[in-house]
Amino acid sequence: MFEYIKHRQRLLEKKWEEEEKRIAEEAEREEARIAQAQAQARRKKLLIELQEDNRIRQKRIEAQEQQAEEKWDKHFDNLLSDIKDQFQKNNNNKIDEIKVIIKTRQPSLQELDWENWLTDPLNQRLAVLDFEHAIELFKRDNLLARRRRPTRGKAKSLINYALTFTGDTAADARFDYVSTTFNPDSYDGAGTGLNRGFTVSYWVKPLEVVGSTFFAFGKRSQTNGRFQFGIKNSTKVDIGIGSTEKDDNNVNHGMEVGTWYHFAVTYGGDNDVGGDRQVHVYLNGTELLKTGASGGGMGTANWDSGKQNCDEGCDDAANAASYLYFGGRSAFQDLDNPYNQGWACSLSEVAIYNVEKDEDGTFANEVYNGGTNYDHRGNSGLVGYWKFNEGSGTTVKDYGPYEKHGTLTSDAENGSGVPTWGTAPTGYGK
């Protein structure tokens, strides 16, 4: 009997121990739950505080920008007043000319150094008449350009410019083009090529469509080293990527002489660097198609890593046809004189990205609907951006990170002049 009692006592003690353990575990789980709930509450509170801080910071920035604008507007009025007070006694004709210049000149659309700012004849004349006031307007232009420029998307603009080329086929052709040091096989100067994938966006106005194969810009550094964009004839486009020439679209491009058009071309990268090789071509936001194309769109293109020309890790060294030309292309068939297959056209807003921006036309329509005022700066993957917005001079600035600026020139053998500056519409389809 005594042994039975001891046995029962041990069973009860074991049961009590298990119950105490269960209660302790439940208390521990409840404590963890409460701690997690408190942590979530703290994170939510922190997020609300951060959002409020951002809202307050944005309001402060907007207020500062408004104050700066009011300050410069007042300064501008004072500037005109100072000019009048300073010169009215002895040089009324000079005052009138300065006032006309200040009222009629167009501020630059981007930040410029002093030398490029003076390429505008009105700015140059103002500097001759009154150097101090020219300096003030130079500073003001750059401040307004910085404030006008967004991080991406649409930008406000007073006037857009473009370059006009005469090609190399017409009787009055000047064989004119813009040369650059942008190498699609090594855009970063370290052997990284666009065969890994790219997007190209540009506005073009044909001045001829009848004939055979015109390029708005491009290069062909070897037989299978194409990077060229243009038209084959009055119905087909001609897009060259690596060893492939996409010129068999069954959708008529329908381009007419004298009308502006927007092109966006994307490439998914060669398969030897992990890409899908898919090519998509969008004209005014609508995709051009090839019947039976593998994967849809315009099908595929081969541009493997062995078909590159550069001095930083390519199989073949760079040559005179490795670099991008505008108004035609550079071609390896004549390295002493590589300008080839020029197009009589106007060109503006050429942007090159090192990524395939989209496969469904979203980006193409975003840029097209933004018109020539769309600002590519600030977009991810941008490696080259020529706005063609200088309006004068012999340099086309590259706003991309590698600053591969262009130079207006003409064919060494047949050239008789350089491309000419003109205006481009701020909208589209005009």
Side-chain angles (χ1 to χ4, degrees):
M1 182 65 178
F2 180 72
E3 291 297 327
Y4 173 75
I5 293 173
K6 289 177 62 178
H7 173 70
R8 292 288 296 174
Q9 184 176 359
R10 284 194 298 270
L11 291 177
L12 289 173
E13 289 175 349
K14 183 178 180 180
K15 182 178 181 180
W16 292 337
E17 288 176 356
E18 291 176 349
E19 182 65 18
E20 289 177 353
K21 182 178 179 181
R22 184 187 65 78
I23 293 172
E25 289 176 348
E26 288 184 354
E28 185 176 347
R29 285 194 296 270
E30 179 65 14
E31 183 179 352
R33 186 191 66 77
I34 293 172
Q36 183 180 14
Q38 290 176 339
Q40 291 177 344
R42 287 195 297 272
R43 286 195 296 270
K44 183 176 181 180
K45 180 181 179 182
L46 179 59
L47 179 60
I48 293 173
E49 291 175 349
L50 289 175
Q51 291 174 340
E52 180 64 16
D53 288 344
N54 288 334
R55 186 187 66 79
I56 294 173
R57 186 182 304 108
Q58 184 62 33
K59 290 189 65 177
R60 184 166 60 252
I61 291 173
E62 292 174 354
Q64 290 173 347
E65 290 179 347
Q66 180 66 29
Q67 291 175 357
E69 184 174 356
E70 293 174 354
K71 175 183 176 182
W72 278 105
D73 288 343
K74 182 178 180 180
H75 182 74
F76 183 64
D77 293 337
N78 292 337
L79 181 62
L80 290 175
S81 178
D82 290 344
I83 292 173
K84 182 177 180 180
D85 292 342
Q86 184 176 354
F87 294 105
Q88 65 181 354
K89 292 183 180 180
N90 54 7
N91 203 339
N92 288 333
N93 291 335
K94 187 176 180 180
I95 294 174
D96 291 341
E97 184 177 359
I98 292 173
K99 290 172 66 176
V100 168
I101 290 174
I102 292 176
K103 290 181 178 180
T104 60
R105 60 182 290 279
Q106 294 286 354
S108 61
L109 299 174
Q110 61 277 322
E111 292 184 72
L112 299 174
D113 58 27
W114 176 248
E115 182 179 354
N116 283 322
W117 189 79
L118 286 178
T119 59
D120 186 324
L122 290 178
N123 293 341
Q124 191 175 49
R125 178 57 180 165
L126 181 61
V128 171
L129 293 172
D130 193 303
F131 184 78
E132 290 184 0
H133 285 104
I135 288 290
E136 289 296 326
L137 285 183
F138 165 70
K139 293 178 179 178
R140 179 179 182 273
D141 280 1
N142 280 339
L143 178 65
L144 292 176
R146 285 194 297 272
R147 190 161 66 241
R148 181 187 303 117
R149 184 181 67 210
T151 57
R152 69 183 299 277
K154 298 179 181 179
K156 296 180 180 179
S157 176
L158 296 176
I159 187 170
N160 286 318
Y161 292 97
L163 269 182
T164 297
F165 307 87
T166 60
D168 58 5
T169 58
D172 60 348
R174 295 193 299 269
F175 292 71
D176 46 352
Y177 64 98
V178 171
S179 64
T180 77
T181 56
F182 183 89
N183 184 354
D185 295 334
S186 180
Y187 59 81
D188 61 353
T192 308
L194 294 176
N195 66 314
R196 300 170 182 266
F198 67 77
T199 297
V200 168
S201 169
Y202 61 97
W203 286 87
V204 63
K205 179 175 72 173
L207 301 178
E208 61 180 346
V209 294
V210 177
S212 179
T213 311
F214 311 108
F215 291 115
F217 59 96
K219 71 92 183 179
R220 188 182 182 188
S221 55
Q222 57 174 286
T223 301
N224 296 320
R226 296 176 177 86
F227 184 77
Q228 56 198 33
F229 305 87
I231 61 173
K232 183 177 183 179
N233 50 42
S234 60
T235 62
K236 296 183 180 296
V237 298
D238 193 310
I239 307 296
I241 300 172
S243 62
T244 310
E245 198 158 6
K246 312 302 290 187
D247 57 1
D248 49 358
N249 55 292
N250 64 289
V251 177
N252 189 331
H253 61 62
M255 299 172 71
E256 298 179 353
V257 169
T259 298
W260 281 97
Y261 298 92
H262 176 257
F263 275 91
V265 181
T266 67
Y267 178 56
D270 196 81
N271 57 2
D272 76 337
V273 290
D276 61 12
R277 303 190 295 121
Q278 292 295 322
V279 179
H280 297 274
V281 179
Y282 301 91
L283 174 58
N284 287 352
T286 300
E287 186 168 15
L288 299 180
L289 304 173
K290 172 189 173 184
T291 300
S294 175
M298 290 288 284
T300 60
N302 297 305
W303 191 11
D304 63 60
S305 299
K307 309 303 179 184
Q308 307 284 295
N309 289 85
C310 68
D311 299 327
E312 306 84 5
C314 297
D315 289 353
D316 300 300
N319 57 45
S322 295
Y323 305 103
L324 200 67
Y325 282 7
F326 296 115
R329 69 169 183 179
S330 59
F332 72 97
Q333 289 88 342
D334 184 359
L335 293 177
D336 291 329
N337 197 29
Y339 169 73
N340 179 264
Q341 291 184 285
W343 189 7
C345 67
S346 296
L347 192 62
S348 187
E349 294 290 328
V350 178
I352 300 176
Y353 295 83
N354 64 1
V355 292
E356 184 183 28
K357 297 296 285 186
D358 62 39
E359 294 183 342
D360 60 3
T362 300
F363 178 74
N365 277 276
E366 177 183 327
V367 180
Y368 171 60
N369 290 326
T372 55
N373 271 354
Y374 186 94
D375 196 334
H376 292 267
R377 288 174 291 185
N379 286 352
S380 62
L382 187 68
V383 295
Y385 184 24
W386 299 265
K387 293 175 66 63
F388 291 84
N389 230 1
E390 287 73 17
S392 62
T394 58
T395 299
V396 179
K397 184 175 180 179
D398 175 13
Y399 290 87
Y402 305 108
E403 298 183 342
K404 303 296 184 179
H405 309 309
T407 301
L408 278 64
T409 185
S410 62
D411 180 76
E413 182 177 342
N414 302 300
S416 58
V418 299
T420 56
W421 291 103
T423 58
T426 56
Y428 50 85
K430 299 179 181 178

